[in-house]
Amino acid sequence: MRVVDRSLLSLIRMWLQAVVVETDANGHTKASRPHQGTPQGGVISPLLANIYLHWFEKAFHGPNGPAHWAKAKIVRYADDFVILARYQTRRLSDWIEGQLEGRFRLTINREKTRIVKLNRPGTKLDFLGFTMRYDRSLFGGSQRYLNVVPSDKALSRARDKLGELTARRRNRVPPSVLIGQVSFWLHSWARYYDHGYPRRAFKKLNWYTYQRLVRHLKRRSQRSFRFPKGRPVHATLKLLGWRPL
């Protein structure tokens, strides 16, 4: 619509047609070149999605958009978004589908698209690594509050990353260096998820990290690692650089 620079358009086309290499569960690699859409995981994909779907948001907030006649709000990150409305009517869903699949000729992922009513018990919404749901107050009573915690998938990925940092192949890394790297990554992860009520999730990761570090130290050599007598294991790990969340 706006860019006429052939060099820039050629560069964007090269990004869109870049070869995608995938590895299956058996370790076999497969290379393919996409014919439509943006490559999954490509560095340019979020930027192009923001540029492309900017016009969807313009229409959403326009005079004839649901921001006016449905009092709806949209929260978007690249191609992933949530639309908030008190009443999820058929008119609203038809408008969204008509814009995305009609005007923009996109394909909605039906498996990941659903209507969530958070006021129903047991209902939750996962978005950008967070789980949002209404829980009963820890102080008792019937009052409920909006609980925002790291999602189960986010915790699973965090455990996988901690497993990589403390893997057997890293036995030759000095303990202080390895534990420092673990603490640095863990606190970087926690800065993103330090919203809402992440205390329980942080405690789970602290316990998992503690177990991984103890196991790593005990298998570093043929002789089992012995923690100093009279000093708690937690204190020894902290001296080596561990900083719990």
Side-chain angles (χ1 to χ4, degrees):
M1 293 173 62
R2 297 180 60 180
V3 179
V4 294
D5 188 332
R6 291 186 178 182
S7 299
L8 181 57
L9 293 176
S10 177
L11 180 61
I12 294 175
R13 190 174 294 109
M14 290 172 62
W15 262 319
L16 292 175
Q17 298 176 352
V19 177
V20 177
V21 179
E22 299 175 305
T23 304
D24 57 19
N26 298 323
H28 301 108
T29 58
K30 177 184 177 182
S32 61
R33 194 180 299 274
H35 299 286
Q36 61 181 4
T38 58
Q40 182 72 19
V43 294
I44 197 63
S45 297
L47 175 61
L48 293 179
N50 279 330
I51 295 174
Y52 198 79
L53 290 178
H54 166 76
W55 300 103
F56 173 71
E57 285 198 53
K58 293 281 286 186
F60 188 91
H61 294 286
N64 300 321
H68 292 276
W69 48 261
K71 305 298 181 183
K73 297 181 179 180
I74 182 172
V75 181
R76 185 174 65 84
Y77 182 83
D79 63 342
D80 197 4
F81 60 88
V82 172
I83 292 179
L84 311 171
R86 186 173 295 275
Y87 302 104
Q88 296 285 345
T89 62
R90 187 63 199 175
R91 180 187 177 188
L92 178 59
S93 58
D94 288 344
W95 187 92
I96 297 170
E97 294 177 2
Q99 288 288 321
L100 294 176
E101 297 187 329
R103 176 185 177 186
F104 295 102
R105 292 182 290 176
L106 298 174
T107 302
I108 298 176
N109 190 332
R110 304 289 176 178
E111 296 180 357
K112 295 183 178 180
T113 303
R114 62 193 181 103
I115 296 177
V116 178
K117 297 183 179 180
L118 287 180
N119 57 351
R120 293 181 177 178
T123 304
K124 65 178 182 178
L125 171 66
D126 291 341
F127 185 58
L128 300 182
F130 289 93
T131 293
M132 288 157 275
R133 63 175 182 267
Y134 277 97
D135 288 337
R136 290 189 180 275
S137 174
L138 297 177
F139 300 100
S142 59
Q143 186 177 1
R144 297 196 301 164
Y145 68 99
L146 181 61
N147 196 2
V148 181
V149 297
S151 66
D152 292 339
K153 184 180 293 186
L155 290 175
S156 177
R157 290 177 177 175
R159 288 191 291 267
D160 291 342
K161 181 63 178 181
L162 292 171
E164 293 178 5
L165 292 174
T166 57
R168 187 181 297 273
R169 65 177 181 274
R170 307 198 71 213
N171 283 352
R172 295 179 180 271
V173 179
S176 59
V177 174
L178 184 141
I179 295 177
Q181 294 173 350
V182 169
S183 295
F184 178 81
W185 182 88
L186 198 59
H187 281 263
S188 300
W189 181 90
R191 277 194 290 270
Y192 176 80
Y193 289 99
D194 193 15
H195 297 280
Y197 306 91
R199 184 176 60 181
R200 290 184 176 179
F202 286 1
K203 284 186 176 181
K204 291 180 180 179
L205 275 188
N206 282 337
W207 174 243
Y208 182 81
T209 305
Y210 169 82
Q211 292 178 308
R212 292 293 306 185
L213 292 179
V214 171
R215 187 182 306 172
H216 172 78
L217 291 175
K218 287 185 176 181
R219 71 169 181 236
R220 288 193 72 251
S221 62
Q222 294 179 353
R223 291 183 179 182
S224 178
F225 181 86
R226 296 183 179 181
F227 290 92
K229 293 183 178 180
R231 181 187 297 165
V233 178
H234 278 85
T236 303
L237 293 178
K238 288 181 179 179
L239 287 176
L240 293 173
W242 181 40
R243 294 185 297 130
L245 298 178

